Amino acid sequence: MSIDHRRLGRELNLFDSDPLIGAGLPFWLPAGAAARHEVESYLYDLERRAGYRHVYSPALGKRRMYELSGHWHNFADDMFPPMRVGEDELVLRPSLCPHHALIFRSRGRSYRDLPLRIAELGPMYRAERSGVVGGLSRVRSMLLNDAHIFCAEEQAGAEVAGVLALMRQAHAALGMGPVSYRLSLRGPGKRYGGDDGSWARAEELLRGALADAGVEYVAVPGEAAFYGPKIDIQVADPSGREWTLATVQIDYHQPERFELEYADRSGGRDRPVMVHRSLAGSMERLFGHLIEVHEGAFPVWYAPVQLAVLPVGADQDAAARGFAASAAGLRVEVIHDGSVGARIRDHHRVPYLAVIGAREAASGEVALRLRDGSRLDPMPGAAAIELIEAAARDERQAGAEVRARP
């Protein structure tokens, strides 16, 4: 039977929905929110260490902004209708790039400031049809791991290569990997912004970055963004279906439309290239994929519960609660209901189970069980906590060793 994240996510109390909120608008329950918070924090820290500067921007803007960016002309069918507020028409944003372009424009910029890497974990909205929304894969409200790099044209290739390396690092830490790279290009029958020359330069830069990374890819006409070609990193779910989770794009169109400029070395004015990138896509689609790939048994570092403490009987409750309190740096729960065997079966997706019987309560030791069924020798509680914390830390850093590899 194939794994369906919609069924499993509800069984594990990760997320749910309600008709009164609406289709395509799931809410996250405490367990899912805990896992998501860990991943969001990891991505934020990874980006910060890679030289990104994080911002916050509004989730809506004037219709005129989206007319300038090209979204209104090319993307209006996927946008919610404008809301009249006084003399303004405000629109829920379908993407973050116009806001980031205006953040760049808000201050005078010099070639010394470039590349300027602006990142945000920001909300955006898509007017998906009722018949296609469901679970976390197709939603109307999403939180996107997004960033835009403003750079000189001669810096763009190196920036794309750096993004591809950062993606590999993030995907390794999350316990997943790309199955293919796709170069999405213009195709007939669709509307695009910009001129042929800028499209050719953008495609050349992306092909060069892929070649430098040593990865094979397939060119797919007709799948480009309206403002530029892109590299889509495809991952497969357990049923073999492919999804685009990560992407990097080169855009000459919006810098021109928003008249972005910086002072060049000669004292003149030049226009930056805008590199769009998302390491992991939206948190909704990402977790829809992660739930299925891991069958709800997430890696230790972002598992909703990292340690479940099981007292054998009522006499061990105090020892179990004391041990749980000493593990404040972990996400830990004390489980009382049911027989020990039933509790072990019901919590088989938790990375570590600590069974505390009379002997463990008296000695201050715990007997850890791993979710693969293996058992560790009894050890002091402090040593058990240190072991779990080290395992989580090692997993979280797992991507570092693959960053330099394709």
Side-chain angles (χ1 to χ4, degrees):
M1 183 176 65
S2 63
I3 303 299
D4 187 333
H5 80 272
R6 294 169 295 182
R7 174 186 58 79
L8 193 55
R10 287 176 171 85
E11 286 180 7
L12 299 178
N13 294 316
L14 300 176
F15 69 91
D16 212 327
S17 60
D18 192 289
L20 282 177
I21 297 177
L25 299 168
F27 52 84
W28 295 71
L29 298 167
R36 172 172 159 171
H37 176 76
E38 283 299 312
V39 170
E40 290 175 359
S41 298
Y42 166 77
L43 292 170
Y44 182 98
D45 189 56
L46 183 68
E47 290 170 340
R48 180 185 61 81
R49 292 173 182 275
Y52 287 82
R53 306 175 72 179
H54 290 86
V55 299
Y56 294 103
S57 60
L60 70 170
K62 287 186 178 181
R63 170 176 167 170
R64 177 59 181 155
M65 178 174 69
Y66 297 107
E67 290 173 343
L68 277 174
S69 70
H71 286 85
W72 192 258
H73 179 69
N74 296 281
F75 206 71
D77 290 345
D78 295 304
M79 297 171 63
F80 284 97
M83 298 172 282
R84 175 68 68 175
V85 181
E87 298 299 315
D88 295 329
E89 281 190 308
L90 298 179
V91 180
L92 288 169
R93 65 179 173 195
S95 66
L96 282 68
C97 44
H99 288 82
H100 288 188
L102 294 180
I103 288 174
F104 179 90
R105 199 177 76 175
S106 69
R107 299 290 186 273
R109 307 293 182 183
S110 161
Y111 71 92
R112 296 184 181 89
D113 302 321
L114 306 185
L116 178 61
R117 307 180 184 104
I118 294 175
E120 181 175 4
L121 189 65
M124 66 182 197
Y125 303 87
R126 300 283 173 88
E128 299 279 8
R129 301 185 309 277
S130 297
V132 301
V133 295
L136 298 177
S137 297
R138 294 291 292 270
V139 294
R140 290 170 170 163
S141 172
M142 65 204 78
L143 200 71
L144 186 69
N145 161 247
D146 202 15
H148 297 90
I149 303 168
F150 301 88
C151 61
E153 187 175 57
E154 61 268 21
Q155 297 171 323
E159 289 300 308
V160 172
V163 168
L164 293 175
L166 210 59
M167 285 177 179
R168 292 194 296 271
Q169 185 172 354
H171 296 173
L174 290 166
M176 64 181 196
V179 296
S180 63
Y181 289 76
R182 187 171 72 182
L183 179 61
S184 297
L185 306 172
R186 286 187 296 180
K190 294 187 178 182
R191 296 176 293 188
Y192 299 97
D195 57 60
D196 290 345
S198 63
W199 275 83
R201 292 196 301 277
E203 179 180 337
E204 181 182 2
L205 287 168
L206 292 181
R207 288 186 184 274
L210 286 165
D212 290 344
V215 298
E216 296 182 358
Y217 63 92
V218 176
V220 183
E223 294 297 321
F226 72 83
Y227 46 75
K230 57 180 180 168
I231 299 170
D232 289 322
I233 288 76
Q234 308 292 103
V235 293
D237 64 20
S239 300
R241 295 170 299 183
E242 285 196 0
W243 299 91
T244 299
L245 282 181
T247 184
V248 56
Q249 310 157 11
I250 289 185
D251 179 6
Y252 287 84
H253 173 69
Q254 289 186 79
E256 180 178 354
R257 295 299 296 270
F258 287 112
E259 299 180 340
L260 305 186
E261 291 183 335
Y262 65 92
D264 63 20
R265 292 178 182 274
S266 66
R269 310 298 298 177
D270 206 347
R271 183 147 290 153
V273 173
M274 189 173 178
V275 178
H276 305 237
R277 54 106 288 203
S278 177
L279 301 180
S282 74
M283 292 300 101
E284 288 75 15
R285 177 169 282 197
L286 172 65
F287 267 90
H289 179 68
L290 293 176
I291 290 168
E292 295 185 356
V293 166
H294 297 298
E295 298 184 20
F298 296 128
V300 179
W301 70 270
Y302 64 92
V305 177
Q306 297 168 307
L307 169 65
V309 184
L310 282 56
V312 172
D315 291 343
Q316 288 81 51
D317 280 356
R321 293 184 185 280
F323 174 58
S326 69
L330 299 172
R331 290 182 295 280
V332 57
E333 289 186 3
V334 180
I335 312 297
H336 297 94
D337 296 335
S339 67
V340 173
R343 281 179 280 168
I344 290 173
R345 289 192 298 273
D346 291 345
H347 295 84
H348 68 277
R349 291 186 177 88
V350 175
Y352 293 92
L353 302 179
V355 179
I356 297 182
R359 183 176 61 183
E360 288 79 18
S363 66
E365 293 185 325
V366 294
L368 291 179
R369 293 172 180 249
L370 282 59
R371 58 184 163 200
D372 63 5
S374 60
R375 305 182 189 185
L376 303 182
D377 293 334
M379 65 184 76
I385 293 167
E386 184 178 345
L387 182 150
I388 298 170
E389 289 177 340
R393 185 170 57 249
D394 290 347
E395 285 183 351
R396 201 173 190 267
Q397 296 174 350
E401 65 186 38
V402 303
R403 184 173 182 181
R405 300 203 309 268

